[in-house]
Amino acid sequence: MASAFSSRSGNIPVAFNPSANHSPVPALSSLPRASPAQDRLIVGVDFGTTYSGVAAVYSASPEEIDIVKSWPGGNGITSDKVPTEIAYITPSDPSKSNVKWGFQFKPEETRLRCIKLFLDRNHKLPHFVSPLDTAAQLRKYEKTVAEAVSDYLAQIYKHTMETLTRRYGETFMSMTKVQFVLTVPAVWSDSAKDATLKAAEKAGMGSGKDLKLISEPEAAAVYTLKAIQPNNLKLGDNFIVCDAGGGTVDLIAYKITQLNPLRVEESAVGTGGLCGSAFLNYRFEDHVKSRIGIERYTMMREKKAKTWNMGLKYFEEFVKRNFNEDEHAEVNVPFPGLPDDEEAGLDSGFLVMSAEQVKEIFDPVVSEVISLVEGQVHTIRAKGGLVCGIVLVGGFGQSNYLYGRMKQHFNSAPPPPYTERPTHAVALSTVPSVEIFHPIHAWTAVVRGAVLRGLEGSMVVSRRSRWHYGTSYATVFDEAKHPIEDRYWSPLWERWMVSDRMQWHIAKGAQVSESKPISFHYTRNFRPGQSLVVEDDLIACDADTAPDSFRKGLINVCALTTDLNTVPKSLFTRLTTTKGVEFDNLDFTLDMRIESAGLVFELMVDGVRYGGVSAKFH
Ligand SMILES: Nc1ncnc2c1ncn2[C@@H]1O[C@H](COP(=O)(O)OP(=O)(O)OP(=O)(O)O)[C@@H](O)[C@H]1O
Ligand SMILES: [Mg+2]
């Protein structure tokens, strides 16, 4: 198994010599010598739908971001990322691993693919992901989705630690703290983020402060905006980051609020869609079907799997990745063994495809990406914002064709309508063109941003809430507002009450900042001897307007358990009902902070913190 790193500054040898069974020896000057207690290794892990990536940085040499490029089964060929694929096997030697992953598969072997998408069932699956097939495989392996994800991450962890140990040496590794930062999609529910965190903990990536989550487009933005800085950025500018991956395309928008150090705020709620690069492969499949006919196609898939796999691999690795509108060359996709057929365009085992035909495969998918970006541009402009740039990242983001089409669309504003005497109105009506940025490290921008986040903390001062967040409460019955059948008698308050009213603490789209928590106020009564451990459900709502009472369709985010035993008894108020029943009342708040990829809660009474609140996600 080979392990090599590549470094951005390029002073670490990356060549892999397959005949040597020791690791490449890094130049001595590039190896950190001592490891003072505060220095750390930060490892970013981008667990993607189709591909995953790992980057690392040593805090004492923050300029050098290393990308793991050698993978088990990779046959010495380096790759910025490794397929997110896993299967369980019965090894002939029982001491060997029962897991196969990444590059270790032959094309025709069965394995779990796109397993990440099953962590959040609130989203639609792309047509090519079969829940039935995934469920059948999991049943056969006797695994749950969470276990398969955690087993995959455990392989990533093991390989990363081995690679780092080769790179830095065992002594260094035993003295140095390793902190992981894991990326998750921005659109994920809080419970899916929590499930990812748990899977990573189980995989050995640490816990508590040593394991952080960051949203994928935010990580990409951190890296690319820093790379653009400082010449091209101005205060107040808005940038849209478009992370075009395998399955999904995720968008996020930021406004620059400070230049040095760079600080940004999220300027529109992120959006996304199912129009990633894998859709091109399925459109290619349809193309082949229509060219050679369904019968020959089915025969090939069923009887000559190797022939089909070869053609698909060529499309995936060569045709798709090199396609560019300016080069009108034909491509010859190998389908070894398919007999010549002039009409179908089959010649000597190759299917000839014209540039126009490849373009037809790309165009509908590219148009979807453009219209998603267009939507985000409109949202920002509608609020009076100035959109200065679109940053294209992710695997599909690397595509020169996508880049060219985006440039054409956003960059070539039509000339103002002709008038004999130009007026101010005409000058003002021209839409300013938007620059498209295409960073060199588009595919690894997410994972590079993740390590920067671990290294430097967050540059994002505020985000937009993706949901309304609230809690339900009971209040005094008001016949003008509440249905009479909902009321009940409270012996402590000695009034008619109603429960399940919703109080929304944060509105969808509202600005939230990590440093300014949102407070949920509560007042609670306790009879003598009653438990001081209280439970509340945090509720979210995806609709644009949130309802005023609890109803179907609201999302039960998590149960918050607060232990009020930590609050001094003197802060409770002793009250007595008219019937002489004594009870204690406490006013308290739960402070919630929305971090890049998770929710954090704290119990406060009179502005003093009395411990954490545990959140159990549903
Ligand atoms: N130059 C290129 N042109 C088009 N597609 C490309 C190119 N390079 C890589 N890809 C595709 O990008 C996809 C992988 O991208 P990426 O790693 O960003 O996705 P992911 O993180 O797995 O997916 P997601 O972000 O949806 O979870 C693959 O489908 C791959 O075929
Ligand atoms: Mg991705």
Side-chain angles (χ1 to χ4, degrees), residues 420-434:
E420 295 263 323
R421 260 177 266 140
T423 61
H424 281 298
V426 170
L428 287 173
S429 72
T430 51
V431 182
S433 75
V434 183

Side-chain angles (χ1 to χ4, degrees), residues 31 60 266 420 517:
L31 277 181
E266 201 176 335
E420 295 263 323

Side-chain angles (χ1 to χ4, degrees), residues 433-481:
S433 75
V434 183
E435 188 158 1
I436 314 291
F437 293 90
H438 203 207
I440 331 169
H441 299 301
W443 204 18
T444 51
V446 168
V447 77
R448 285 167 191 270
V451 291
L452 288 181
R453 165 68 184 86
L455 195 65
E456 302 171 350
S458 182
M459 71 169 198
V460 181
V461 290
S462 70
R463 305 192 170 82
R464 301 277 168 169
S465 178
R466 277 157 206 275
W467 295 273
H468 301 273
Y469 281 108
T471 46
S472 70
Y473 65 102
T475 189
V476 177
F477 169 69
D478 175 348
E479 60 183 1
K481 286 197 210 149

Side-chain angles (χ1 to χ4, degrees), residues 15-208:
F16 167 63
N17 173 1
S19 62
N21 59 5
H22 52 79
S23 61
V25 182
L28 271 183
S29 63
S30 73
L31 277 181
R33 277 159 210 274
S35 166
Q38 71 274 22
D39 284 339
R40 315 158 282 153
L41 265 172
I42 293 134
V43 180
V45 177
D46 171 12
F47 170 56
T49 309
T50 50
Y51 284 87
S52 296
V54 178
V57 73
Y58 180 51
S59 58
S61 48
E63 291 304 303
E64 286 172 32
I65 299 180
D66 290 338
I67 303 290
V68 176
K69 293 201 171 192
S70 264
W71 306 97
N75 284 327
I77 297 170
T78 56
S79 166
D80 278 351
K81 289 208 182 177
V82 61
T84 306
E85 296 174 6
I86 180 170
Y88 298 86
I89 48 159
T90 320
S92 45
D93 173 355
S95 68
K96 292 261 161 61
S97 169
N98 69 337
V99 170
K100 251 188 169 182
W101 69 290
F103 284 111
Q104 294 179 320
F105 297 99
K106 293 197 188 80
E108 63 277 10
E109 281 174 331
T110 319
R111 66 271 213 174
L112 291 163
R113 288 190 166 104
C114 299
I115 186 79
K116 171 182 174 177
L117 297 178
F118 292 88
L119 284 173
D120 193 346
R121 294 313 306 273
N122 296 322
H123 299 284
K124 213 176 115 201
L125 291 172
H127 73 88
F128 52 82
V129 177
S130 155
L132 286 179
D133 174 63
T134 306
Q137 283 195 61
L138 287 169
R139 234 187 344 267
K140 191 175 109 204
Y141 302 141
E142 297 182 346
K143 295 279 179 186
T144 61
V145 167
E147 283 165 343
V149 169
S150 155
D151 288 339
Y152 180 83
L153 290 177
Q155 296 299 322
I156 292 270
Y157 173 76
K158 185 167 155 266
H159 179 67
T160 302
M161 294 310 276
E162 279 169 12
T163 309
L164 289 172
T165 307
R166 282 162 187 254
R167 158 86 160 90
Y168 292 102
E170 268 166 32
T171 319
F172 177 89
M173 289 304 288
S174 65
M175 289 164 63
T176 308
K177 198 168 177 162
V178 183
Q179 290 177 333
F180 279 83
V181 182
L182 191 73
T183 65
V184 285
V187 293
W188 267 15
S189 68
D190 296 296
S191 73
K193 290 174 193 167
D194 187 64
T196 314
L197 193 66
K198 296 234 163 68
E201 278 178 4
K202 207 172 139 212
M205 294 182 178
S207 59

Side-chain angles (χ1 to χ4, degrees), residues 49-51 81 245-248 277 316 320 395-396 398-399 443:
T49 309
T50 50
Y51 284 87
K81 289 208 182 177
T248 57
S277 186
E316 159 71 35
K320 182 166 98 172
F396 193 13
Q398 296 193 115
S399 161
W443 204 18

